[in-house]
Amino acid sequence: MRLFAEHAVRRTLDLGGQWDFVAAPDAAEKDSAGLPTALPGRMQVPACWESHPRLRTYRGKAWYRRTLAQPADGPLRLVFKGVSHTGRIFLDRREVGRHYNAYTAFEIALPNVEAGDHELLVEVDNSFGPHSALHIENDYYTYGGITRPAAAEFVRPQYIRFLHVTPRSSGGKGWAARLRVQVVNLADRPAAVRAAVELAGKTVDLGRAALAPASIAWLEAEADFKDARPWSPEQPTLHLARALLYAGNGADPADDLADRIGFREVRVRGTEMLLNGRPMRLRGFNRHEDHPTFGCAIPVEAMVHDMDLIQDLGANCVRTSHYPNDERWLDLCDERGLLVWEENHARGLGVEQMQHPRFREQILACTREMVEQHHNHPSIVLWGILNECASYAPEGRTHYQEQFDLLKQLDPSRPTTFASCHWERERCFDLPDVIGFNMYPGWYRASTAEVPAVLEQLLKVIESGGGAGKPIILSEFGAGAIPGWRNPNRAYWTEEYQGDVLDADLACFLAHPRLAGAIIWQFCDCRVTCTPAWAMCRPRTMNNKGVVDEYRRPKLAYDVVRRRFRNADGKA
Ligand code: ADA
């Protein structure tokens, strides 16, 4: 399920492949609980159901079913890396778990499942409605299906849930790291365990713990890794960290969990961001997980193609607008040295939407899951929240404050940010470590000739609005171009005009001493929710601001951006 093996001890079964399937309107026979008894279709896992010719715009419920063979009486851990938007999981028709939000993983750990065949049924719902505060009609498409990998894990009653490694440089004396392992006791009686972590040629003992029945505990230790080779975009050296869990006085591990880590440190110093003590300036792309064939369930081979294009363009970073990404994409970023701004799932929510009765619970869960699940990726250098939400209002500010507090509590090692678009109205510039701002000179406001003046105006607003002395990233800018529409009149929507806008933007932003980054909106054209409101400003019902189109065919802007990015100071 990752780009490397996570387990040598734990037995796992990849649940990928063809499942039985039925969409709600076609489910003729149901049991007394309303679950279908006949699932005559077939659907791939992972995939979006919109990839199927009959379900291209289907919004609603659907069911997936397969048989699962439990090898022996004992625990079963089901792991879903992404079900879009809501998943309810049934084992032998009994609901065993549920999860909301397409973009984070969840587990269902059952202490005792009988040996033999079981029916695994998953109800998936991608509808909008009062149950959903984050998935709403929006400027991107939210698909349906089991869209990321899934697995069954035949764990022991005690297993490792998380391994978190936090590296830090020990002031010129090499590297050190904090090692934390979260252990779950599924049994209804106490258990004694011991944990260790193997990393960079060392085995570090994390000590013993007496676990209460049905409980969770952290074991941790600090250790030096003086000579470890650091991770950087130029030399993205990864180390395999492997947590081992021993039951009682056992000499053989009862469970294991591996992850890849990089020794690197991100800090903010005044208006600069530092990576391993050296100034880091971001130049890159916002990227939606979207593809005309695969929807958001992009296969690794197609992710690699995106990575090849992004790096060919000379970018060094990607922003996961506007939700946590597939961890295999993050694995690739780790391997290829692409820096990541990862953010939680929210785009453009106004005051009323942030007061939705489910908003707080759903966004806090998403934030927590994102940070817990992606803690080890060295490529992630910024945690972001709440793109263009109501940070201009006191009600909104309360949420920003709470989420920044949560981020710092979960991971104090990374700087925090959010992307605003509110100019003088903004009330939250004082909260994050790094300021992000989205603006579209030459598109929604001003002309290309006015780019430098608009930037100076923005800098003043930020300095006087609470952001003085902090690093500033222009987190979105760009223009729409209908692929293939070229016209010497260089009018709106032509590929020529998009190139002109990005050329003017990058000439100004990349060289500007006050900016710590410039991130183009966007890498590829993406599908949007088809409502009259969006359709009227989104020709093809696509957001057409990609530098490549949805099939990744370069527009004229590709070469413009490539020239600018490849000269880091922005000279063409
Ligand atoms: C906003 C928003 C993006 C996208 C963009 C646009 O800044 O954050 O998601 O909608 O505008 O294309 O207008």
Side-chain angles (χ1 to χ4, degrees), residues 249-543:
N249 291 320
D252 295 326
D255 193 30
D256 68 342
L257 175 63
D259 203 353
R260 296 188 311 193
I261 69 122
F263 287 94
R264 63 103 186 87
E265 199 175 53
V266 190
R267 284 198 299 119
V268 166
R269 185 182 63 193
T271 58
E272 289 181 318
M273 288 192 297
L274 305 180
L275 182 78
N276 298 340
R278 298 205 341 251
M280 155 176 84
R281 282 168 71 98
L282 304 181
R283 51 175 201 283
F285 290 96
N286 286 276
R287 174 178 174 271
H288 267 300
E289 290 181 322
D290 197 77
H291 191 284
T293 308
F294 309 112
C296 67
I298 301 180
V300 170
E301 291 75 5
M303 290 184 193
V304 171
H305 183 51
D306 283 0
M307 175 67 71
D308 288 344
L309 291 168
I310 287 170
Q311 292 193 322
D312 179 61
L313 278 152
N316 69 1
C317 97
V318 70
R319 173 173 173 231
T320 70
S321 49
H322 301 297
Y323 37 77
N325 274 196
D326 188 316
E327 62 190 349
R328 294 167 304 167
W329 170 251
L330 300 172
D331 283 346
L332 258 183
C333 292
D334 294 341
E335 282 180 16
R336 299 272 295 255
L338 197 69
L339 302 165
V340 177
W341 159 338
E342 176 152 78
E343 67 190 20
N344 70 5
H345 179 206
R347 180 203 166 278
L349 306 180
V351 174
E352 210 174 296
Q353 289 162 306
M354 292 178 89
Q355 287 174 333
H356 184 293
R358 309 296 303 274
F359 171 74
R360 181 166 177 270
E361 154 217 338
Q362 291 180 344
I363 193 71
L364 289 176
C366 174
T367 308
R368 174 178 288 280
E369 289 166 353
M370 168 179 84
V371 177
E372 284 179 346
Q373 292 165 13
H374 296 165
H375 181 98
N376 294 331
H377 290 283
S379 55
I380 299 177
V381 292
L382 276 170
W383 292 127
I385 59 168
L386 300 177
N387 173 71
E388 293 190 354
C389 294
S391 50
Y392 51 80
E395 301 89 331
R397 184 179 163 95
T398 313
H399 290 291
Y400 277 83
Q401 177 84 65
E402 184 177 32
Q403 287 171 46
F404 282 127
D405 289 349
L406 178 63
L407 285 177
K408 285 295 177 195
Q409 178 204 322
L410 293 170
D411 179 16
S413 78
R414 287 176 172 95
T416 57
T417 190
F418 76 99
S420 169
C421 62
H422 302 306
W423 294 87
E424 289 82 0
R425 289 204 302 160
E426 179 57 56
R427 277 176 180 249
C428 293
F429 282 144
D430 59 316
L431 297 179
D433 299 313
V434 174
I435 305 288
F437 204 89
N438 302 341
M439 64 171 194
Y440 289 80
W443 191 252
Y444 295 127
R445 60 184 284 148
S447 68
T448 50
E450 290 166 306
V451 170
V454 173
L455 176 60
E456 292 314 317
Q457 189 192 341
L458 174 68
L459 295 178
K460 281 202 193 94
V461 168
I462 293 173
E463 297 288 337
S464 60
K470 296 186 182 194
I472 299 171
I473 297 173
L474 291 182
S475 34
E476 290 182 26
F477 53 89
I482 313 255
W485 191 34
R486 298 183 184 180
N487 192 317
N489 70 12
R490 309 185 94 79
Y492 259 49
W493 300 112
T494 60
E495 289 196 18
E496 285 87 348
Y497 186 63
Q498 181 192 36
D500 292 346
V501 170
L502 286 172
D503 200 35
D505 285 343
L506 293 176
C508 173
F509 302 159
L510 292 178
H512 200 288
R514 185 60 185 87
L515 296 180
I519 309 179
I520 291 173
W521 187 269
Q522 63 177 337
F523 167 61
C524 61
D525 290 349
C526 70
R527 187 172 170 183
V528 307
T529 323
C530 187
T531 59
W534 283 117
M536 290 307 124
C537 58
R538 296 287 178 259
R540 311 191 299 138
T541 57
M542 304 284 292
N543 186 311

Side-chain angles (χ1 to χ4, degrees), residues 125-316:
D125 185 353
N126 76 336
S127 63
F128 301 121
H131 61 283
S132 172
L134 310 179
H135 284 281
I136 55 168
E137 291 169 346
N138 220 324
D139 201 8
Y140 55 97
Y141 201 85
T142 60
Y143 291 88
I146 302 176
T147 53
R148 292 180 183 169
E153 302 185 347
F154 308 109
V155 291
R156 310 279 175 90
Q158 293 78 41
Y159 70 91
I160 301 167
R161 185 149 171 257
F162 291 120
L163 160 65
H164 286 169
V165 179
T166 313
R168 97 188 123 71
S169 99
S170 29
K173 293 196 224 89
W175 292 93
R178 185 168 181 226
L179 312 170
R180 303 183 79 214
V181 167
Q182 192 189 71
V183 183
V184 177
N185 181 18
L186 282 177
D188 56 7
R189 45 180 191 278
V193 294
R194 180 170 73 80
V197 172
E198 295 174 351
L199 173 59
K202 262 192 171 181
T203 302
V204 181
D205 188 7
L206 269 57
R208 294 174 182 278
L211 305 173
S215 68
I216 292 178
W218 285 97
L219 282 84
E220 55 183 274
E222 294 269 337
D224 286 332
F225 298 92
K226 286 202 175 356
D227 303 323
R229 285 178 54 205
W231 183 97
S232 67
E234 301 75 33
Q235 296 245 306
T237 307
L238 295 173
H239 299 262
L240 195 76
R242 188 164 171 243
L244 297 162
L245 185 72
Y246 300 86
N249 291 320
D252 295 326
D255 193 30
D256 68 342
L257 175 63
D259 203 353
R260 296 188 311 193
I261 69 122
F263 287 94
R264 63 103 186 87
E265 199 175 53
V266 190
R267 284 198 299 119
V268 166
R269 185 182 63 193
T271 58
E272 289 181 318
M273 288 192 297
L274 305 180
L275 182 78
N276 298 340
R278 298 205 341 251
M280 155 176 84
R281 282 168 71 98
L282 304 181
R283 51 175 201 283
F285 290 96
N286 286 276
R287 174 178 174 271
H288 267 300
E289 290 181 322
D290 197 77
H291 191 284
T293 308
F294 309 112
C296 67
I298 301 180
V300 170
E301 291 75 5
M303 290 184 193
V304 171
H305 183 51
D306 283 0
M307 175 67 71
D308 288 344
L309 291 168
I310 287 170
Q311 292 193 322
D312 179 61
L313 278 152
N316 69 1

